[in-house]
């Protein structure tokens, strides 16, 4: 038999980390009834018939004795919004189950709610595998919610998005000499923006409100007591410019009120009617977002928002932060 290969442990760990996995929490109970749970990404399927799954636990783990002695354990495949729960069960020395309303399961092992999938298992056998102990369990029951899963890759949490079975084409293939294609990021972002905005415009039209006034009310809903120049600084990224005439129109409709500031400039605030109107507009925007989200996978929506936030941060020319403290 050849001598075992020698590796740099950190490099080996990093290489293994390139394999994308889901994130699970494994739970059991001690003979004294104490709930035990850990975060793990070593979960895998073994067999469909009989239904078997496996996972592994480090031999120096504090919870090894509980899992080795326990007959029942549950595997919880975490949903994308359960990252905080994953972090809680990855730590030691705290009451990990505090505040969690557990579901009833077949065995005594704790059953956590809100997961993508859950597998209630009974130990079939366990064996040593290097510096870990491998647990193989018979699946007694399972359920799946369809929620987007939490993903782990390269030492970081990630989001899963479905890849189309074939490349999406929005239109005819451009001629070879044309360098402007539908894969251009600016085109895709612009088209998506205007398609969404078109839906919102139709809803706003029923409120006798154009997008120009919509931007003003939206900004003042988040941060009011602004001057005309400050308003324009916040909406500069839209390509629109707020005019004194626009503010006068909103004042005439009693949606905003102008007051003299200490520096002599005129500052604008939402009236009660303006705040109500603004909240109604936000509801319209949320309705448009909801219609679009219904046509996408939940994981796609979350991944899209994360990527767009990164893009906003990466391309920010130094615009003032509307949500920052004064």
């Amino acid at each position: 038999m050849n001598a075992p290969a020698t590796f740099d442990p950190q490099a080996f760990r990093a290489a293994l980390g390139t394999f994308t996995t889901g994130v699970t929490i494994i739970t059991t109970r001690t003979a004294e009834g104490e709930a035990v749970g850990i975060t793990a990404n070593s979960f895998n399927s073994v067999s469909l018939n009989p239904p078997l799954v496996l996972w592994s636990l480090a031999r120096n783990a504090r919870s090894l004795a509980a899992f080795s002695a326990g007959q029942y354990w549950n595997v919880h495949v975490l949903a994308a919004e359960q990252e905080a729960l994953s972090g809680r069960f990855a730590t030691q020395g705290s009451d990990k189950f505090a505040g969690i309303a557990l579901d009833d399961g077949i065995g005594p092992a704790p059953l956590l709610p809100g997961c993508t999938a859950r597998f209630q298992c009974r130990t079939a056998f366990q064996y040593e595998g290097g510096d870990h102990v491998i647990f193989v369990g018979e699946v007694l029951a399972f359920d799946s919610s369809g929620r987007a899963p939490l993903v782990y890759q390269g030492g970081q949490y990630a989001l899963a998005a479905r890849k189309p079975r074939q490349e999406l084409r929005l239109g005819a293939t451009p001629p070879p000499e044309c360098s402007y294609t539908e894969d251009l990021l600016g085109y895709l972002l612009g088209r998506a923006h205007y398609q969404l905005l078109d839906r919102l415009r139709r809803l706003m039209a029923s409120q006798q409100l154009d997008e120009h006034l919509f931007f003003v009310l939206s900004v003042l809903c988040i941060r009011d007591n602004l001057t005309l120049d400050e308003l324009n600084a916040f909406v500069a990224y839209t390509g629109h410019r707020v005019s004194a005439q626009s503010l006068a129109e909103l004042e005439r409709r009693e949606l905003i009120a102008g007051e003299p500031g200490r520096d002599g400039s005129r500052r604008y605030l939402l009236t009660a009617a303006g705040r109500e109107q603004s909240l109604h507009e936000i509801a319209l925007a949320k309705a448009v977002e909801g219609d679009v989200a219904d046509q996408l996978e939940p994981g796609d929506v979350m991944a899209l928002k994360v990527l767009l936030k990164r893009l906003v941060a990466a391309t920010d020319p130094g615009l003032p932060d509307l949500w920052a403290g004064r």
Side-chain angles (χ1 to χ4, degrees):
M1 182 175 180
N2 295 332
T6 57
F7 299 121
D8 176 346
Q10 294 301 322
F12 184 52
R13 184 185 184 93
L16 291 174
T18 63
F19 180 65
T20 302
T21 70
V23 182
T24 69
I25 289 176
I26 319 289
T27 60
T28 191
R29 283 192 188 275
T30 65
E32 294 75 27
E34 179 186 359
V36 176
I38 60 167
T39 299
N41 64 344
S42 57
F43 172 70
N44 212 333
S45 61
V46 175
S47 169
L48 294 178
N49 187 19
L52 299 174
V53 296
L54 67 77
W55 65 285
S56 62
L57 181 62
R59 294 176 63 181
N60 61 357
R62 294 182 179 181
S63 56
L64 180 61
F67 283 104
S68 296
Q71 183 181 6
Y72 295 92
W73 39 269
N74 294 332
V75 179
H76 307 80
V77 180
L78 298 187
E81 60 270 21
Q82 292 181 306
E83 181 179 332
L85 192 64
S86 171
R88 181 198 293 197
F89 278 81
T91 60
Q92 297 180 355
S94 60
D95 184 0
K96 302 176 182 180
F97 295 89
I100 299 177
L102 300 174
D103 291 339
D104 294 329
I106 292 178
L111 192 60
L112 305 175
C115 304
T116 296
R118 302 183 297 187
F119 301 88
Q120 300 182 59
C121 305
R122 177 172 55 202
T123 299
F125 56 90
Q126 55 184 285
Y127 57 92
E128 294 185 0
D131 57 3
H132 278 60
V133 174
I134 300 172
F135 293 86
V136 178
E138 175 190 5
V139 179
L140 304 176
F142 74 93
D143 60 86
S144 179
S145 68
R147 290 183 172 93
L150 183 63
V151 176
Y152 198 72
Q153 201 276 337
Q156 294 182 323
Y157 292 111
L159 296 171
R162 293 183 184 274
K163 184 177 181 180
R165 293 182 181 273
Q166 59 184 9
E167 184 182 4
L168 294 175
R169 305 300 297 177
L170 300 180
T173 302
E177 66 274 11
C178 179
S179 61
Y180 183 81
T181 73
E182 63 185 14
D183 289 329
L184 188 68
L185 181 60
Y187 166 74
L188 292 172
L189 289 171
R191 177 161 178 172
H193 164 72
Y194 284 112
Q195 287 180 180
L196 281 172
L197 187 58
D198 180 65
R199 296 190 185 190
L200 184 57
R201 280 172 176 158
R202 297 178 191 179
L203 292 175
M204 288 192 299
S206 65
Q207 309 296 317
Q208 290 79 49
L209 197 71
D210 62 30
E211 63 185 274
H212 197 71
L213 301 182
F214 170 80
F215 284 124
V216 176
L217 292 182
S218 298
V219 170
L220 291 178
C221 184
I222 300 169
R223 177 184 293 203
D224 60 6
N225 196 32
L226 298 177
T227 66
L228 176 59
D229 288 341
E230 289 171 338
L231 273 168
N232 274 313
F234 283 122
V235 302
Y237 73 96
T238 68
H240 292 273
R241 184 163 184 81
V242 181
S243 66
Q245 290 77 11
S246 297
L247 296 178
E249 172 62 17
L250 289 172
E251 282 194 90
R252 185 189 67 78
R253 295 167 62 173
E254 299 183 344
L255 297 176
I256 66 172
E259 299 179 353
R262 294 180 180 178
D263 57 359
S265 61
R266 190 168 180 79
R267 294 188 169 273
Y268 297 91
L269 304 91
L270 282 181
T271 63
R275 185 165 297 278
E276 182 178 348
Q277 177 67 40
S278 182
L279 293 176
H280 182 63
E281 293 167 11
I282 293 173
L284 294 179
K286 284 291 186 180
V288 171
E289 178 182 323
D291 289 343
V292 173
D294 288 342
Q295 301 174 53
L296 302 173
E297 295 289 337
D300 294 343
V301 176
M302 186 173 293
L304 178 61
K305 288 184 177 181
V306 169
L307 291 174
L308 287 175
K309 287 178 181 179
R310 290 181 185 173
L311 182 61
V312 168
T315 58
D316 181 16
L319 295 174
D321 186 354
L322 186 58
W323 285 269
R326 290 182 182 273

